[in-house]
Amino acid sequence: MGCCESVFLRKPDSVHKSGYSNHQTHHLNINNTRVNQTNNAPSSPSNGGKDSLAARNSASHDFCEFSLAELKAATNNFSSDFIVSETGEKAANVVYKGRLQNDNNHRWIAIKKFTKMAWPEPKQFADEARGVGKLRHERVANLIGYCCDGDERLLVAEYMPNDTLAKHLFHWENQTIEWAMRLRTALYMAEALDYCSSKGRPLYHDLNAYRVLFDENGDPRLSCFGLMKNSRDGKSYSTNLAYTPPEYLRNGRVTPESVIFSFGTVLLDLLSGKHIPPSHALDMIRGKNILLLMDSHLEGNFSTEEATVVFDLASQCLQYEPRERPKTKDLITTLSPLQNKPDVPSCVMLGIPKHEEGPSTPQQPSSPMGDACSRMDLTAIHQILVMTHYKDDEGTNELSFQEWTQQMRDMLEARKRGDVAFRDKDFKTAIDCYSQFIDVGTMVSPTVYARRSLCHLLCDQPDAALRDAMQAQCVNPDWPTAFYMQAIALAKLDMQKDATDMLNEAVVLEEKRQRGGRGS
């Protein structure tokens, strides 16, 4: 049974951003003592992208058509709180994270929305999705399904919980990706491209550092979304023209050689830690000024010989004539011998927590509150708390006549104003009023803490929501609602296993009450 002095009281020791592109969304990763120590085993850094690197569990092999209702449930009706990427003015590129409700493991997924204009023909969209969905490789964030319902065109992929390569390279001021990890990233991307090419999918649209994702183990993986062209005619480049393959500027189409050119720009990103126009980089490479191009944050902690090899490979990839660029297998042949830390896990080199075991299967909630919590339906939770009012506060306070002071009247008036604001969905005002009630400290109310917790969630403040839910538990240790609110706050903080454990505890408490305890 959870308690107020549990692991959840510890402060987060790192803040990460998660995304599929350059939209920055914050979430907290809190180190937990229950870490699976068997996850230290590194993946092999070089095996030529063979089929033996297929996805790691049978669930990832499944490819299916999702219903729109399923995806709405997974994303709380495509709430803005679930957006992890939002770019593009001419062509919409919105990616949501979501959690499958009808899946045994409640998997997290990534969902990309296309406009109907991009794919006017549903059959063409479905056929293209099925083609990409056949790919299964450890170096790719695999496509696991699609949805084509009315005007909706959606792709569903494995969710990668850590940052994109671009965010690691360009946005984190206090962390530098070490040299060995940059070499590993280059090789893994080459292996991903080689695998896709070997399976008849050599085209990748707009390859750049934002398309390189990091999975739960910190291993680099290539987003499958770039394997789907953004329109029926294949014209899908969205980067600055300075980074676009020259042949694309001539005919507006992506070729396998165009992908190699884009790979060269990613190599430059890895070497320099910034986005450098290829023409400028080539001039410096020809002038043998490559050390000036190197990322200063590495502070000289790299091999000049290895850097020279990678710069030379980038130069080959960036050749003006497509036929002069290397093949994907040539990329692997060049990068494989450079791997110098094959036994060090990627998560260690990136400085991110080790991946835990998958979350246990949640018990089936037995109440509207439990069901709403398991679906992350904050609107339904709000309605339930409004209807329940203060029923669960009975007996928590016994006031004498002498204690009935003007201060008490003011405090209860603050709570009343908070209740009105809560009912009217003015959540910021409700937080202020409930805080006035709580700060006086004469009365304690688990319901007020639960209500303020929900207000914090609806204001995108999950850490504050978790603290309030824990306080509600302190006041009423056997109150299921306190556990439900902790579960949803933990889920918002991406602490999925802890969220599932807390949800299970809430279900047990609720069942116990229904068998003979006081009403819930």
Side-chain angles (χ1 to χ4, degrees):
M1 187 70 66
C3 67
C4 291
E5 296 299 325
S6 69
V7 65
F8 310 123
L9 276 175
R10 280 187 275 136
K11 293 181 180 180
D13 50 20
S14 62
V15 177
H16 296 282
K17 291 167 280 184
S18 176
Y20 273 68
S21 189
N22 61 353
H23 173 81
Q24 298 184 28
T25 303
H26 299 286
H27 68 273
L28 301 177
N29 284 313
I30 303 180
N31 280 342
N32 191 292
T33 55
R34 291 172 291 179
V35 174
N36 176 26
Q37 299 298 328
T38 64
N39 285 316
N40 293 342
S43 53
S44 57
S46 175
N47 50 15
K50 295 180 182 178
D51 289 348
S52 59
L53 287 177
R56 289 145 295 183
N57 55 67
S58 58
S60 66
H61 285 274
D62 299 333
F63 181 85
C64 62
E65 181 176 4
F66 289 89
S67 69
L68 186 59
E70 284 180 288
L71 300 185
K72 283 184 175 181
T75 58
N76 195 20
N77 199 24
F78 295 106
S79 166
S80 59
D81 292 339
F82 286 74
I83 293 177
V84 294
S85 165
E86 189 172 22
T87 60
E89 296 179 358
K90 296 181 180 179
N93 177 12
V94 183
V95 179
Y96 298 82
K97 71 175 181 179
R99 199 172 191 192
L100 292 175
Q101 302 302 315
N102 296 325
D103 179 83
N104 286 336
N105 295 318
H106 282 226
R107 284 181 297 171
W108 283 95
I109 55 175
I111 305 166
K112 179 171 180 177
K113 267 194 170 188
F114 291 88
T115 63
K116 183 181 178 182
M117 184 182 301
W119 290 95
E121 296 296 332
K123 184 179 184 303
Q124 187 183 32
F125 178 79
D127 289 345
E128 183 79 1
R130 291 190 191 102
V132 176
K134 293 178 181 178
L135 302 178
R136 284 293 178 270
H137 198 269
E138 196 175 57
R139 304 291 181 245
V140 179
N142 297 297
L143 193 68
I144 60 175
Y146 73 99
C147 174
C148 200
D149 187 329
D151 292 343
E152 297 290 349
R153 308 286 187 266
L154 304 113
L155 294 178
V156 183
E158 296 174 296
Y159 178 64
M160 301 292 105
N162 293 298
D163 284 307
T164 65
L165 174 63
K167 288 180 180 177
H168 276 284
L169 286 176
F170 307 149
H171 297 315
W172 283 28
E173 297 179 359
N174 298 321
Q175 180 178 357
T176 297
I177 301 180
E178 66 174 275
W179 178 241
M181 188 65 203
R182 300 185 193 212
L183 293 175
R184 180 176 295 181
T185 300
L187 174 62
Y188 281 17
M189 291 307 98
E191 290 179 344
L193 293 174
D194 185 59
Y195 167 78
C196 293
S197 181
S198 72
K199 295 300 182 181
R201 288 276 169 178
L203 302 185
Y204 195 94
H205 302 267
D206 200 9
L207 175 63
N208 58 64
Y210 289 103
R211 300 284 196 175
V212 182
L213 315 173
F214 292 93
D215 65 17
E216 65 276 5
N217 296 312
D219 288 327
R221 297 172 72 177
L222 186 63
S223 169
C224 63
F225 293 147
L227 294 164
M228 287 277 294
K229 56 180 178 285
N230 289 336
S231 65
R232 52 185 171 174
D233 58 8
K235 295 180 179 179
S236 58
Y237 252 83
S238 60
T239 55
N240 186 295
L241 293 181
Y243 306 92
T244 304
E247 64 274 12
Y248 182 82
L249 297 178
R250 293 196 297 267
N251 57 37
R253 293 192 179 278
V254 177
T255 68
E257 293 77 19
S258 305
V259 179
I260 299 299
F261 184 96
S262 296
F263 182 80
T265 68
V266 175
L267 288 181
L268 291 180
D269 293 344
L270 285 165
L271 289 161
S272 66
K274 48 187 174 289
H275 215 31
I276 300 177
S279 57
H280 174 64
L282 286 174
D283 288 341
M284 296 190 72
I285 294 171
R286 295 188 191 102
K288 301 189 183 302
N289 295 322
I290 60 174
L291 291 180
L292 294 178
L293 284 169
M294 289 299 295
D295 188 353
S296 60
H297 290 93
L298 286 169
E299 298 179 341
N301 294 317
F302 62 90
S303 164
T304 303
E305 292 77 11
E306 292 170 352
T308 301
V309 172
V310 180
F311 269 118
D312 182 60
L313 181 61
S315 178
Q316 296 174 44
C317 293
L318 297 171
Q319 290 300 305
Y320 184 84
E321 292 296 334
R323 64 177 179 275
E324 296 178 3
R325 299 170 196 159
K327 305 296 184 184
T328 54
K329 291 193 181 300
D330 299 327
L331 305 177
I332 295 172
T333 300
T334 301
L335 293 168
S336 292
L338 303 181
Q339 307 303 307
N340 52 37
K341 287 189 177 181
D343 297 327
V344 180
S346 297
C347 61
V348 173
M349 287 198 277
L350 283 178
I352 61 176
K354 298 181 182 70
H355 175 51
E356 294 185 17
E357 285 288 339
S360 57
T361 302
Q363 297 185 35
Q364 186 64 35
S366 57
S367 71
M369 182 66 175
D371 179 65
C373 179
S374 66
R375 292 185 289 108
M376 303 274 291
D377 190 342
L378 301 184
T379 300
I381 293 173
H382 173 260
Q383 293 173 345
I384 292 169
L385 290 179
V386 168
M387 295 297 295
T388 305
H389 201 55
Y390 286 87
K391 182 178 67 173
D392 290 291
D393 281 15
E394 295 173 0
T396 57
N397 295 278
E398 295 181 4
L399 300 173
S400 66
F401 178 79
Q402 288 78 13
E403 290 176 309
W404 194 257
T405 63
Q406 184 61 44
Q407 183 185 46
M408 179 68 67
R409 295 188 184 93
D410 293 342
M411 181 181 63
L412 291 175
E413 180 62 28
R415 191 183 75 172
K416 183 177 179 180
R417 292 196 307 271
D419 291 340
V420 171
F422 185 79
R423 182 197 64 199
D424 294 341
K425 301 183 179 180
D426 183 359
F427 300 114
K428 290 184 178 180
T429 299
I431 289 174
D432 292 339
C433 294
Y434 286 145
S435 297
Q436 293 175 31
F437 171 85
I438 291 170
D439 291 344
V440 172
T442 305
M443 291 180 64
V444 290
S445 168
T447 298
V448 167
Y449 279 116
R451 288 185 169 208
R452 193 172 72 168
S453 176
L454 180 63
C455 291
H456 283 307
L457 286 171
L458 288 160
C459 292
D460 196 25
Q461 299 168 348
D463 48 347
L466 179 59
R467 287 194 295 269
D468 274 352
M470 291 165 61
Q471 288 298 327
Q473 180 192 343
C474 289
V475 178
N476 191 342
D478 297 321
W479 190 34
T481 297
F483 288 81
Y484 280 131
M485 295 308 300
Q486 287 183 62
I488 199 166
L490 288 164
K492 287 284 188 179
L493 289 166
D494 281 344
M495 297 175 65
Q496 303 309 327
K497 187 176 189 304
D498 293 320
T500 299
D501 291 344
M502 193 60 68
L503 179 63
N504 288 338
E505 291 194 42
V507 172
V508 170
L509 281 173
E510 201 160 44
E511 290 176 347
K512 181 179 177 181
R513 280 190 165 197
Q514 291 173 353
R515 286 196 302 267
R518 57 194 175 95
S520 61

